[in-house]
Amino acid sequence: MLFSCPRPFLLISVLTLAPSLTYAQTTPAAAESNAVRPADRALLSPAIKPAAGQPFGLSDNTELVYRLLDANGKPAGELHQRVVRLKRDEREESKKQVVTEQTALLKSGLYDKKNILVTLQDLTFRARRDTSFTDGMACINHDALRSFRDRKIVYTPVALAWPDRPTVGTDLPDGGVTINVSSSVVSIANVSTTLRKRRVVGGPTPLTTPAGTFSCYKVESEREEATVPRPDMAMRSTTKQVDFYAPGVGIIRTERYTKGGKLEQVQELTSRTTSAGATDEKVKYKAKKS
């Protein structure tokens, strides 16, 4: 099946991300050590021309398509994310300091392997100073919420930071989302997904997906999913997650593992298209018929 035309999206409330996070500037020596080797540079796909200052260089109507693969490499679905609005704000970090913040609102639709819509949500990506931020709402464990239908739900997302000039060996702040489920009179449970102990463990190295070849950094983290009905009762599960991201482009590949350390699911970029409909990369993804 060829990559389908963009699907219509429904409007969901825009979410506000967590307070700003700051990082030490990368020194010239560190930046030089993080440069892509000349031997690897020739492997990279033609450079994407990002919108200046926008999170991950996103421009209006850019659409990102990811394929989902199971542990055996079989298709398990697709994730479509389209930029529907760009915005520029002034963010007050202190009484004497105001910084410019660029915001991109994306409509995100998850489809199963039969091309049926499973979930639809708004995501807000931000960029300020030398860091892009993805929405913690993208971490939601929808399976954990199925038993709480028809309840009042309040989301508290914490953004995930992705520095433009990462240094191997550095730690990144936690991120994710906490969801309070309640009835009209009582709190029922807190359901959360949190990426902890995030650490840049490698890069930059070339990574090839159906969308092309990108210079990526590898970030490992612990993914904790928890349902807490009351303080003295908690059901928690901690697994490993590995993200590969290209500064200025975005998340290229995500790997999730089981408790036993076996690969469980892969999400990787297959297409990045502009508003004109032309792909940023030469290689397009063509799904194989199962």
Side-chain angles (χ1 to χ4, degrees):
M1 176 185 69
L2 290 173
F3 162 62
S4 59
C5 294
R7 299 173 171 83
F9 288 99
L10 302 176
L11 181 62
I12 304 176
S13 59
V14 181
L15 300 165
T16 302
L17 295 183
S20 62
L21 302 169
T22 57
Y23 299 87
Q25 294 288 338
T26 304
T27 63
E32 183 177 354
S33 66
N34 288 339
V36 180
R37 297 175 300 175
D40 293 333
R41 194 178 302 278
L43 299 175
L44 302 180
S45 299
I48 292 174
K49 296 180 179 179
Q54 294 297 343
F56 290 138
L58 296 172
S59 57
D60 191 26
N61 285 325
T62 297
E63 182 172 22
L64 308 174
V65 180
Y66 294 85
R67 67 176 179 181
L68 304 180
L69 304 173
D70 62 19
N72 297 318
K74 301 292 185 180
E78 282 190 348
L79 179 67
H80 290 242
Q81 297 179 339
R82 174 172 288 276
V83 177
V84 295
R85 188 174 69 201
L86 298 173
K87 186 179 179 182
R88 181 178 181 275
D89 292 313
E90 298 293 330
R91 187 185 187 93
E92 184 176 344
E93 292 191 339
S94 67
K95 292 183 179 180
K96 297 182 179 181
Q97 190 172 35
V98 176
V99 298
T100 300
E101 181 178 75
Q102 304 285 353
T103 301
L105 174 65
L106 295 84
K107 299 297 182 179
S108 180
L110 176 64
Y111 297 81
D112 65 18
K113 61 183 179 181
K114 294 182 179 180
N115 205 33
I116 297 175
L117 181 64
V118 178
T119 61
L120 184 66
Q121 63 182 146
D122 279 6
L123 299 177
T124 303
F125 289 4
R126 302 180 186 274
R128 55 182 176 271
R129 297 187 183 277
D130 61 350
T131 305
S132 290
F133 299 83
T134 54
D135 199 331
M137 289 288 290
C139 298
I140 289 178
N141 179 1
H142 296 282
D143 291 337
L145 293 177
R146 289 179 180 174
S147 59
F148 298 116
R149 292 180 179 177
D150 302 322
R151 299 295 185 178
K152 180 180 178 181
I153 295 179
V154 177
Y155 302 91
T156 305
V158 177
L160 293 163
W162 308 92
D164 295 338
R165 296 181 178 180
T167 302
V168 175
T170 59
D171 296 326
L172 302 179
D174 297 347
V177 61
T178 298
I179 305 163
N180 178 256
V181 183
S182 63
S183 66
S184 58
V185 294
V186 65
S187 177
I188 297 175
N190 282 327
V191 180
S192 64
T193 302
T194 307
L195 295 181
R196 307 182 185 278
K197 299 181 180 180
R198 302 175 64 225
R199 188 174 182 82
V200 183
V201 298
T205 55
L207 175 64
T208 299
T209 74
T213 301
F214 305 88
S215 177
C216 293
Y217 287 85
K218 181 179 179 180
V219 177
E220 292 186 355
S221 59
E222 290 184 358
R223 181 184 178 97
E224 181 187 85
E225 297 179 349
T227 300
V228 184
R230 58 176 190 259
D232 61 338
M233 179 185 295
M235 293 170 283
R236 302 182 187 275
S237 174
T238 302
T239 57
K240 177 182 175 181
Q241 179 167 314
V242 179
D243 293 291
F244 298 86
Y245 86 100
V249 181
I251 310 302
I252 306 301
R253 179 183 171 96
T254 297
E255 299 173 352
R256 290 180 57 183
Y257 293 81
T258 65
K259 290 182 179 180
K262 293 184 178 180
L263 183 64
E264 180 178 31
Q265 185 185 76
V266 171
Q267 175 181 305
E268 64 179 10
L269 184 67
T270 59
S271 178
R272 176 175 168 134
T273 59
T274 63
S275 57
T279 57
D280 289 321
E281 299 300 327
K282 288 186 176 180
V283 182
K284 291 183 179 180
Y285 166 57
K286 183 176 181 181
K288 295 181 179 180
K289 294 182 179 180
S290 57

